[in-house]
């Protein structure tokens, strides 16, 4: 059986499946984000140094806390994207700090404080479920409210919250670029990486590495899409941004053609596979490459030839017809709809239940600085950080390691200047540790939080070791009330994603075979389908990192995920057969695939993983045969349905 690999990729059949604990413990190896690390260190150090120099370290600690929250949401991207991302997170953080500080300042009792924090937890969870930005904002809303209710407050009490945006603004200013060249523009570099990934996919066609290369290509295209701002109707677009967008759209067309070749297991000449690498160099200011001389012989190869020629012309600055519609602008009602959706409401109730239990537990158990318990719950329940089980365990282990590091550091020195330098160095590691492993991230973040608390007024290591008890208690609450007893277990997370992916593929196929009254871009529908498939793969990988029975249940959905991925390639190949091979769409072919997708959707909603074989093709596809028929045969076998 095929199984997801380290990135959630589905490996070739016959590979040995690692144990769930091996997947859970294995860290990623991201590249060092040097620019982010430097900004993080300076953003933490400057407020603390200013507080020490002005004898207002209490305010410097809160400004440094705001800088850390900004660092957690910082990216290597244009300021027009960085600033709104950080502003949304810090707005929530500031609001949470004001609420928590107000409760502490007015001496709210345990019941009133618990009810207020539980209500805030519901809002935090609902916002968190709306997307990546909502996830960060929702988590910081609850984390800051917990900190505001327990940290030593400056005088007057509200100035701590006011200093959070000051530290965040410093991080934004440190990342400003006054002169951006093509070689250093994050968007150009991301686009160049996408073209390089396209070249790797072409080079790996017909090999066991092909599927993983295509998944990396999908991730690179997702990154470029996130960096490009939406076009606004009626607003002029600069020539530079328009060219960048068109180069990206050309890469999408070439990716669609490469996906069809990957499914058909057709190789291309080495000089053709190397051509996207030459385009990548041209995107970042290098010379324009010459197009290789070759003679494509099948519809899929002709589709690639046409797409690569269009990409070359677009990179050269020519105005060519790409056949892609512009990305639609974001719907202002979409966020409101997501915020009121059943998913958001359920997640809000999930977080509120865990916080209510945490508040009841801390009220009944004499804990010093009990704000650590709800703060830990907020971190563990952040919805886009992976498996809740893995996060809870990693949080406990990482906290123990982080406290040990802090204790050693404080045994060496308690000088505030030295501690300011130490905490700045720790914060510099956050951008890397966040991408590497949640446990490592916790081990790095724990000294930051404890040293900031130390600088804010606490002293000695005696108050630090109880944080282990707090963390274990919070992790146990999340495991029991947010995981074991909560109905939204891993299969229930995977199945909705598979339903979304099947629906997106249905739309993509419909755009290929059906006549539409309005122009619809097949490329953008394919993009939507692949993003949905990426989310489904991510949920499968997270489920596989959990112990049985959750891991076994997630494993049962691996064949369906792999089959949907191959179906997307079959639809791309089918589109090439229609466009370049003169194939006439047959309604019966599409009807079989639509019926199979409906059957798979019904099975997912009924929590019934398919049990049939899901063997992918092992030989090149015959171009005279319909790609859709072959895909329908595979789906029917997977779903144990009679063929035809």
């Amino acid at each position: 059986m095929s199984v997801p690999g380290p990135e959630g990729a589905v490996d070739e059949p016959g590979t040995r499946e690692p144990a769930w604990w091996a997947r859970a413990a294995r860290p990623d190896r991201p590249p060092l984000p040097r620019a982010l690390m430097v900004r993080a260190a300076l953003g933490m150090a400057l407020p603390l140094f200013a507080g020490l120099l002005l004898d207002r370290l209490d305010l410097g600690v809160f400004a440094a806390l705001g800088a850390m929250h900004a660092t957690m949401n910082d990216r290597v991207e244009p300021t027009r994207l960085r600033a709104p991302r950080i502003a949304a997170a810090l707005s929530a953080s500031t609001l949470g700090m004001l609420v928590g500080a107000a409760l502490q300042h007015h001496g709210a009792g345990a019941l009133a404080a618990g009810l207020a924090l539980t209500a805030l937890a519901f809002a935090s969870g609902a916002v968190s479920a709306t997307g990546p930005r909502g996830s960060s904002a929702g988590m910081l809303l609850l984390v800051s409210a917990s900190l505001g209710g327990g940290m030593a407050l400056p005088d007057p009490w509200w100035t701590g919250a006011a200093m959070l945006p000051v530290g965040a603004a410093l991080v934004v200013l440190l990342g400003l670029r006054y002169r951006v060249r093509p070689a250093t523009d994050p968007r150009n570099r991301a686009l160049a990486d996408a073209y390089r990934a396209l070249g790797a996919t072409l080079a790996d066609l017909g090999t066991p590495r092909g599927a993983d290369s295509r998944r990396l290509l999908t991730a690179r295209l997702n990154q470029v899409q996130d960096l490009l701002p939406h076009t606004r109707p009626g607003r002029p677009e600069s020539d530079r941004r328009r060219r960048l967008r068109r180069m990206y759209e050309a890469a999408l067309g070439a990716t669609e053609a490469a996906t069809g070749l990957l499914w058909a297991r057709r190789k291309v000449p080495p000089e053709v596979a190397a051509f996207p690498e030459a385009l990548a160099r041209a995107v970042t200011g290098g010379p324009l490459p010459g197009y290789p001389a070759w003679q494509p012989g099948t519809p899929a190869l002709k589709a690639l030839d046409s797409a690569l020629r269009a990409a070359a012309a677009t990179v050269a600055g020519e105005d060519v017809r790409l056949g892609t519609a512009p990305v639609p602008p974001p719907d202002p009602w979409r966020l409101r709809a997501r915020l009121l959706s059943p998913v958001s409401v359920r997640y809000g109730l999930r977080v509120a239940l865990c916080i209510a239990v945490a508040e009841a537990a801390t009220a009944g158990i004499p804990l010093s600085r009990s704000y650590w318990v709800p703060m830990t719950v907020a971190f563990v329940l952040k919805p886009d950080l992976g498996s809740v089980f893995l996060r809870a365990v990693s949080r406990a282990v990482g906290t123990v390691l982080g406290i040990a590091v802090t204790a050693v550091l404080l045994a060496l020195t308690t000088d505030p200047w030295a501690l300011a330098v130490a905490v700045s160095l720790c914060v510099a590691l956050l951008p890397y540790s966040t991408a590497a492993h949640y446990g490592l991230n916790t081990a790095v973040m724990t000294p930051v939080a404890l040293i900031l608390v130390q600088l804010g007024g606490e002293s000695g290591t005696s108050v630090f070791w109880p944080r282990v008890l707090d963390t274990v208690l919070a992790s146990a609450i999340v495991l029991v009330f947010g995981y074991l007893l909560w109905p939204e277990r891993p299969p229930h997370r995977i199945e909705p994603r598979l339903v979304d992916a099947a629906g997106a593929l249905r739309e993509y196929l419909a755009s290929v075979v059906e006549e539409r009254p309005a122009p619809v871009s097949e490329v953008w529908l394919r993009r939507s389908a692949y993003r949905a498939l990426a989310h489904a793969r991510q949920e499968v990988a997270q489920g596989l990192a959990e112990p049985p029975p959750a891991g076994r249940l997630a494993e049962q959905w691996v064949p369906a995920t792999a089959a949907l991925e191959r179906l997307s390639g079959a639809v791309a190949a089918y589109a090439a057969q229609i466009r370049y091979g003169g194939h006439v769409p047959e309604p019966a072919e599409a009807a079989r695939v639509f019926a199979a997708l409906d059957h798979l959707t019904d099975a997912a909603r009924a929590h019934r993983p398919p049990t049939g074989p899901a063997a992918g093709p092992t030989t090149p596809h015959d171009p005279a045969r319909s790609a859709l028929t072959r895909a329908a045969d595979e789906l029917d076998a997977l779903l144990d349905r009679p063929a035809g």
Side-chain angles (χ1 to χ4, degrees):
M1 179 181 292
S2 302
V3 294
E7 302 294 333
V10 179
D11 300 325
E12 291 296 314
T15 56
R16 184 177 179 181
E17 177 184 357
W20 68 267
W21 54 266
R23 293 194 192 96
R26 180 170 48 199
D28 295 329
R29 294 180 177 84
L32 280 176
R34 292 182 177 84
L36 293 179
M37 294 172 72
V38 171
R39 290 206 293 259
L42 291 176
M44 175 63 67
L46 293 179
L48 292 178
F49 290 166
L52 287 168
L53 287 172
L54 299 175
D55 198 25
R56 285 305 306 264
L57 185 56
D58 53 347
L59 295 181
V61 165
F62 280 89
L65 187 62
M68 185 181 75
H69 290 173
T71 295
M72 293 165 60
N73 292 274
D74 201 5
R75 304 289 186 273
V76 179
E77 59 189 10
T79 303
R80 66 173 63 89
L81 297 179
R82 288 180 63 238
R85 182 195 304 277
I86 294 175
L90 264 294
S91 297
S93 180
T94 303
L95 176 60
M97 184 64 69
L98 278 174
V99 172
L103 291 173
Q104 181 185 167
H105 176 70
H106 292 95
L111 179 60
L115 290 175
L117 205 60
T118 300
L120 203 66
F122 174 78
S124 168
V127 172
S128 294
T130 60
R133 289 194 183 186
S135 176
S136 296
M139 181 195 71
L140 289 178
L141 174 68
L142 188 53
V143 166
S144 295
S146 303
L147 287 172
M151 285 183 67
L153 297 177
D155 185 29
W157 64 270
W158 49 266
T159 51
M163 294 305 296
L164 294 180
V166 175
L170 177 61
V171 173
V172 174
L173 291 174
L174 288 172
L176 288 179
R177 295 186 178 213
Y178 299 100
R179 184 180 179 185
V180 180
R181 295 173 298 162
T184 59
D185 189 332
R187 296 167 297 183
N188 284 64
R189 291 205 307 267
L191 181 61
D193 288 341
Y195 275 108
R196 291 190 183 94
L198 172 62
T201 300
L202 294 178
D204 292 338
L205 291 174
T207 71
R209 301 183 304 274
D212 287 341
S213 297
R214 197 264 305 138
R215 292 185 187 99
L216 177 61
L217 172 57
T218 297
R220 294 288 184 262
L221 291 172
N222 289 347
Q223 182 182 17
V224 181
Q225 185 177 4
D226 293 339
L227 287 173
L228 290 175
H230 290 280
T231 56
R232 300 286 182 178
R235 282 192 187 178
E237 189 175 33
S238 67
D239 293 339
R240 182 174 183 175
R241 190 185 302 179
R242 180 176 180 273
R243 186 188 174 195
L244 187 67
R245 190 184 306 282
R246 288 182 60 78
M247 288 191 293
Y248 169 61
E249 292 173 359
L252 293 182
T255 299
E256 182 182 32
T259 301
L261 285 170
L262 177 68
W263 175 86
R265 299 185 70 87
R266 296 235 171 243
K267 295 185 178 182
V268 297
E271 61 272 17
V272 176
F275 184 67
E277 170 68 31
L279 288 179
R281 292 192 294 269
V283 167
T284 54
L288 294 172
Y291 191 76
W294 71 302
Q295 296 296 326
T298 68
L301 291 174
K302 291 177 182 177
L304 178 66
D305 177 65
S306 176
L308 287 180
R309 289 182 183 276
T314 304
V315 172
E318 300 176 18
D319 192 8
V320 296
R321 181 182 177 86
L322 297 175
T324 57
V327 185
D331 185 354
W333 293 94
R334 188 177 179 186
L335 176 60
R336 182 179 300 182
R338 289 201 304 262
L339 190 59
L340 300 177
S341 69
V343 173
S344 293
V345 173
R346 282 198 306 271
Y347 207 84
L349 292 173
R350 184 181 189 181
V351 178
L353 173 62
C354 291
I355 291 296
V357 175
E359 287 295 298
T362 54
I365 302 174
L367 296 172
S368 65
R369 299 293 187 264
S370 60
Y371 62 81
W372 196 271
V373 177
M375 183 184 72
T376 301
V377 170
F379 274 114
V380 174
L381 279 178
K382 190 174 186 290
D384 58 349
L385 289 181
S387 160
V388 170
F389 174 86
L390 176 59
R391 278 178 280 163
V393 175
S394 299
R395 185 82 188 178
V397 175
T399 298
V400 173
L401 295 176
I403 289 176
V405 171
T406 308
V408 171
L409 180 61
L410 291 179
L412 295 175
T413 181
T414 56
D415 178 72
W417 287 93
L419 292 180
V421 173
V423 75
S424 300
L425 294 177
C426 288
V427 166
L429 297 176
L430 280 181
Y432 178 83
S433 63
T434 300
H437 195 278
Y438 185 76
L440 178 61
N441 183 56
T442 301
V444 171
M445 188 176 293
T446 298
V448 175
L450 292 177
I451 293 175
L452 284 179
V453 169
Q454 168 84 5
L455 292 173
E458 292 185 359
S459 61
T461 60
S462 60
V463 298
F464 292 167
W465 291 109
R467 301 293 77 81
V468 176
L469 175 61
D470 293 346
T471 302
V472 172
L473 176 61
S475 298
I477 290 171
V478 170
L479 284 176
V480 174
F481 295 95
Y483 177 73
L484 293 176
L485 300 182
W486 192 257
E488 200 169 4
R489 299 294 303 282
H492 299 80
R493 299 197 311 264
I494 293 170
E495 289 151 0
R497 294 293 194 184
L498 286 171
V499 170
D500 292 342
L505 280 172
R506 205 182 201 285
E507 285 293 311
Y508 175 35
L509 175 58
S511 72
V512 173
V513 301
E514 296 178 359
E515 293 291 335
R516 296 291 183 96
V520 177
S521 171
E522 294 176 13
V523 173
W524 288 116
L525 289 172
R526 191 199 67 81
R527 274 270 67 221
S528 299
Y530 259 84
R531 291 206 79 141
L533 283 168
H535 294 154
R537 285 196 310 272
Q538 183 180 21
E539 291 292 349
V540 169
Q542 291 174 6
L544 288 171
E546 298 185 6
R552 284 197 300 266
L553 291 172
E555 184 180 347
Q556 293 174 3
W557 284 108
V558 170
T561 307
L564 289 178
E565 288 181 321
R566 286 192 290 270
L567 174 62
S568 64
V571 176
Y574 188 66
Q577 287 182 323
I578 294 174
R579 191 177 303 126
Y580 298 96
H583 187 88
V584 178
E586 297 181 12
E589 292 178 324
R592 277 187 64 195
V593 177
F594 287 144
L597 288 173
D598 292 341
H599 189 84
L600 179 59
T601 299
D602 293 340
R605 287 172 174 160
H607 314 302
R608 294 193 314 269
T611 57
T618 58
T619 58
H621 176 64
D622 180 3
R625 186 187 178 198
S626 169
L628 212 55
T629 299
R630 180 170 167 177
D633 291 341
E634 180 183 349
L635 284 176
D636 287 339
L638 171 69
L639 299 169
D640 200 18
R641 287 158 43 94

